[in-house]
Structure formats: structure tokens, C-alpha cells
Amino acid sequence: MFHVVEHPLIKHKLTIMRSKTTGPKEFRELLREITFLLAYEATRNIETLEIEVETPLEKTKGYAIEDKKMVVVPILRAGLGMVDSILELMPNASVGHIGIYRDPETLRPVQYYCKLPKIDDKSVVFLLDPMLATGFSALHSVDILKERGARNIVVVCLIAAPEGVQVIENHHPDVAIYAASLDRQLNDHGYILPGLGDAGDRLYRTK
Ligand code: URA
């Protein structure tokens, strides 16, 4: 269920994001652009309904997605940088927020906020976090989403570490993961190598 979305545009844009000289404005724009491209693949299996549409010439068969069933859940705070792209594609999606920080000693997730819309077994939930590092925040979030009734969860991230992918695959083999890159490993502080540093700090210039 783990997919690296291979595309020259994604590779090019991600390389610019990785560079330590890229500033916050460009970093934010590139995150939006790559998320847009990732979303194209991450939504590939959503259902379409057959509908009738009338062109200026005649009636024909058309298709509609039920974007009201779509739920977008960024993990605060870096996931916020990915929300707008998904909403541009599916403007009627609902948005929930899960606030989690990593305890710097244990690297375990500490939840400080959770506000979710109605979720049921028909919902398609896109969980957004640019960095799937230890996987603990994503794991905690998937646990919450499943407790609320989600049965179809797609994790969308920019960079995944093998450790993070493994954690999700071990606990939730049904959850799909879409990433722009699978990087080498984590360092001792739980940062992805080579990675791009702290995505939240780079988005919001907090360091
Ligand atoms: N979160 C980040 O922002 N970067 C990492 O490398 C790991 C977790």
C-alpha cells in the first residue's frame, strides 16, 4: 500500500525544497504544488458516480465524485501547508485537524488538539503530513480516525522514512501511503536523512 509517486515535476520541485537556501515563500509554494501532483495519484481510486450531462449539442454520460464524502485531516502544524491544494481539487471536502507534537526525549506523539468532522465508513480520509518520519504521529492519527469510524484512509506525505512506512504497514496494512520520496533513514533525533529539515520551521520560519 506504499506508493512513491515518480514524476519529473515532483523530483524537480522536491529537490528545490530540500535545498537549505530555499526560503519560506518558495517552500510553501512548492509544498502546495507537489501536494497537488500527489493528490492526483492519491485520489485515483475514489469512486465516481455516473451522471447525465447536457452539452450544447446533446445529452451524454458523465461522471461525478462525491467530494462531500472526502475528509482532509492535516496533522498540525506542517500538514496545514498541504490542505489548500486538496481543497482546490475537492472544494466540498470537510477538514478536520489533529494537533500533535513529538516529545523530544521519547519521540512519542503528544496530542494537544483534535477537531474532526463527521466520519463514517463511506468517508475517504486524506491524512496530511509532509514528513512521515518515525510514523508515530501518523499512527496515532490513524488510530483516532478509525475509532471515529473511518475505513478508507490515505496518508499523503512529501518524504517518507522506511521506519515510518514500516510502522504504518505493521499496524494498519489497509492504509495507503503516497509519498514523493522514500528517503534513507532517520537520525537520532527522528529527523529524516537526507530529508529537508523541519518542515514546520521551514514553512513558518520559526527557526
Ligand atoms: N518532521 C520534520 O519536519 N522533519 C523531519 O525530518 C522529521 C519530522
Side-chain angles (χ1 to χ4, degrees):
M1 291 293 260
F2 175 65
H3 312 266
V4 175
V5 182
E6 297 274 353
H7 195 287
L9 280 172
I10 293 181
K11 286 188 173 140
H12 168 76
K13 288 172 190 292
L14 181 59
T15 302
I16 303 172
M17 290 188 80
R18 287 187 194 274
S19 168
K20 64 180 184 188
T21 61
T22 299
K25 179 173 187 287
E26 202 180 357
F27 192 90
R28 281 192 293 270
E29 286 167 359
L30 289 163
L31 179 57
R32 267 204 306 276
E33 291 169 12
I34 296 180
T35 304
F36 208 83
L37 297 167
L38 289 175
Y40 181 76
E41 280 302 318
T43 52
R44 186 170 286 284
N45 296 319
I46 62 177
E47 264 179 55
T48 50
L49 297 177
E50 256 183 47
I51 56 168
E52 192 178 73
V53 61
E54 200 168 347
T55 78
L57 302 176
E58 63 179 28
K59 287 186 178 163
T60 185
K61 189 166 76 176
Y63 301 92
I65 59 161
E66 290 186 282
D67 54 353
K68 286 194 176 126
K69 281 189 190 168
M70 307 298 160
V71 181
V72 184
V73 180
I75 301 181
L76 304 181
R77 66 194 159 135
L80 284 177
M82 303 173 80
V83 174
D84 287 353
S85 322
I86 310 268
L87 287 181
E88 255 178 66
L89 292 168
M90 300 185 292
N92 293 310
S94 325
V95 183
H97 295 87
I98 299 179
I100 294 177
Y101 68 86
R102 288 199 295 180
D103 183 299
E105 302 288 305
T106 63
L107 303 183
R108 289 277 156 186
V110 183
Q111 182 187 312
Y112 62 90
Y113 187 76
C114 181
K115 177 87 180 170
L116 295 171
K118 186 176 158 295
I119 291 174
D120 61 29
D121 58 352
K122 305 274 179 320
S123 308
V124 184
V125 183
F126 296 90
L127 181 65
L128 310 180
D129 191 351
M131 310 302 275
L132 183 64
T134 60
F136 296 151
S137 300
L139 175 62
H140 181 84
S141 304
V142 170
D143 287 343
I144 295 174
L145 293 167
K146 285 196 174 175
E147 271 165 36
R148 300 286 179 105
R151 292 292 165 264
N152 190 348
I153 301 173
V154 181
V155 175
V156 185
C157 60
L158 204 55
I159 300 182
E163 296 89 332
V165 174
Q166 198 65 60
V167 163
I168 299 298
E169 283 183 343
N170 287 349
H171 291 83
H172 297 290
D174 58 305
V175 168
I177 306 171
Y178 287 84
S181 173
L182 176 66
D183 275 14
R184 192 176 73 246
Q185 67 185 90
L186 296 180
N187 70 10
D188 293 342
H189 304 285
Y191 279 89
I192 300 177
L193 297 174
L196 47 70
D198 189 301
D201 285 342
R202 296 198 60 186
L203 277 170
Y204 303 119
R205 222 165 68 74
T206 38
K207 252 192 201 133

